[in-house]
Amino acid sequence: MDKTGQTQVIGIASGKGGVGKTTVSVNLAVALQALGKRVMLFDADMGLANAQIAMGCRCPYNLSDFLSGDKTLKEIIVTTRQGVRLVPGSSGRQEMAALDDMGAARIVQAFSSLEESVDYLIVDMAAGISPSVLSFMAACNRRFVVVRDDPSSIADAYGTIKVMIQDYGLDEIYLIPNGVGSAQEGFQLFERINKVCARFLNRSIRYLDSIENDEMILMAHKKYQPVLEFAPTSAASRDFRRLAKVTAQLPPDLEASGGLQFFVERWVKTIS
Ligand SMILES: Nc1ncnc2c1ncn2[C@@H]1O[C@H](COP(=O)(O)OP(=O)(O)O)[C@@H](O)[C@H]1O
Ligand SMILES: [Mg+2]
């Protein structure tokens, strides 16, 4: 536990799918864990739950067992070989793709009954800007938006940021350019997007860190391993370690309350 004894909840979003949310969530979780933090990763991408695949983790149960009422949240959580506490999502279940508000609220409330404390709860969001995704994002302390340097990813990232700011009044929005040629290119992408935010939303967002394009990520995925495990000396692994350091250096959000209870309190605040 860090000195403040608070859990920091980080939501990872993108707007568009396939830009690297799960890759960033999984490797950030693994890298923070390696820094000695206690990390829980919540795979909230109901339609395409693949954090467990990316971590090479066998999960006897998953979120659908929780939503059906067969298992408690505690019963579905596993510890991955990297030491991360994983709340596994369910994959390929049609009814899971669109999580309704009731299901989302039940999930969030169940976190309050968890007695374990963690330093970070990382939430790997579903693509898109459905009300449940946005409510999850609102319940987090910080929001990390993953974006690639291509027109549709940029448009969707901006659209997500716009809704978070204008409709939900959220701040603490950080950009993570992914799949870039260099950190400098990543920062330039941030500057382009931030300019649009400043001009049209009258608000600025923050730069966090960039992840280079690295085929080792794809090779690692084929081996059911996070790249940090598969190729620790790769450029991507270097970037994810740096991302974890930068994340750990962010000042704790003072609004956070102890343990995982905050998730509930913040959630209730946004839906009421
Ligand atoms: N920096 C990167 N370099 C190379 N490939 C990447 C990078 N980030 C993600 N990928 C690959 O892109 C694909 C989509 O990534 P994923 O994390 O599943 O996206 P999302 O969760 O946003 O849908 C995966 O095949 C992943 O291995
Ligand atoms: Mg994903």
Side-chain angles (χ1 to χ4, degrees):
M1 192 57 100
D2 63 17
K3 283 194 197 97
T4 61
Q6 291 174 331
T7 300
Q8 294 291 306
V9 190
I10 298 171
I12 314 273
S14 66
K16 190 175 182 287
V19 302
K21 276 185 309 295
T22 300
T23 304
V24 168
S25 302
V26 162
N27 285 286
L28 176 59
V30 171
L32 281 170
Q33 186 77 34
L35 285 179
K37 309 290 183 188
R38 289 178 304 174
V39 184
M40 185 177 283
L41 174 60
F42 172 26
D43 186 347
D45 189 349
M46 313 300 162
L48 237 111
N50 45 23
Q52 67 224 55
I53 297 168
M55 299 189 94
C57 183
R58 268 175 203 280
C59 305
Y61 306 109
N62 61 51
L63 211 55
S64 62
D65 298 298
F66 166 77
L67 286 172
S68 67
D70 293 339
K71 296 285 168 208
T72 63
L73 190 61
K74 194 177 167 186
E75 285 169 330
I76 68 167
I77 298 177
V78 293
T79 303
T80 73
R81 65 173 178 268
Q82 300 87 8
V84 172
R85 300 282 286 153
L86 174 67
V87 183
S90 68
S91 208
R93 298 265 312 253
Q94 193 54 43
E95 74 268 28
M96 299 289 294
L99 183 68
D100 60 15
D101 271 1
M102 275 294 287
R106 268 189 61 216
I107 292 168
V108 172
Q109 274 164 14
F111 275 95
S112 71
S113 64
L114 286 180
E115 274 150 22
E116 66 184 279
S117 50
V118 293
D119 300 311
Y120 292 96
L121 172 62
I122 296 171
V123 188
D124 180 8
M125 298 287 171
I129 46 171
S130 67
S132 67
V133 167
L134 283 158
S135 299
F136 272 126
M137 289 304 272
C140 296
N141 298 106
R142 291 199 160 94
R143 292 145 273 279
F144 291 179
V145 177
V146 180
V147 64
R148 279 185 186 261
D149 193 359
D150 79 61
S152 58
S153 174
I154 293 170
D156 285 0
Y158 175 71
T160 305
I161 292 165
K162 183 180 173 188
V163 176
M164 290 196 299
I165 290 177
Q166 291 192 330
D167 299 352
Y168 286 76
L170 301 176
D171 56 7
E172 289 293 319
I173 299 169
Y174 295 78
L175 208 68
I176 304 178
N178 180 37
V180 293
S182 67
Q184 196 192 347
E185 275 180 39
F187 187 71
Q188 286 166 354
L189 175 59
F190 158 76
E191 287 187 313
R192 269 155 59 206
I193 296 173
N194 193 35
K195 247 184 223 160
V196 180
C197 293
R199 179 158 172 212
F200 294 104
L201 307 176
N202 213 12
R203 286 274 297 279
S204 43
I205 53 169
R206 301 173 204 222
Y207 176 72
L208 193 61
D209 202 4
S210 299
I211 310 297
E212 280 183 21
N213 183 55
D214 188 345
E215 63 173 11
M216 282 299 160
I217 290 181
L218 296 166
M219 292 176 67
H221 196 62
K222 281 184 192 148
K223 299 280 183 197
Y224 302 94
Q225 286 178 23
V227 71
L228 277 164
E229 194 174 52
F230 177 75
T233 59
S234 61
S237 292
R238 172 205 64 203
D239 291 350
F240 284 123
R241 278 191 296 269
R242 195 183 55 219
L243 175 66
K245 256 192 209 142
V246 174
T247 301
Q249 282 165 1
L250 294 173
D253 180 2
L254 298 175
E255 263 192 69
S257 56
L260 294 168
Q261 183 65 35
F262 69 87
F263 209 29
V264 175
E265 287 161 3
R266 296 174 69 92
W267 175 269
V268 170
K269 246 192 261 169
T270 52
I271 58 173
S272 58

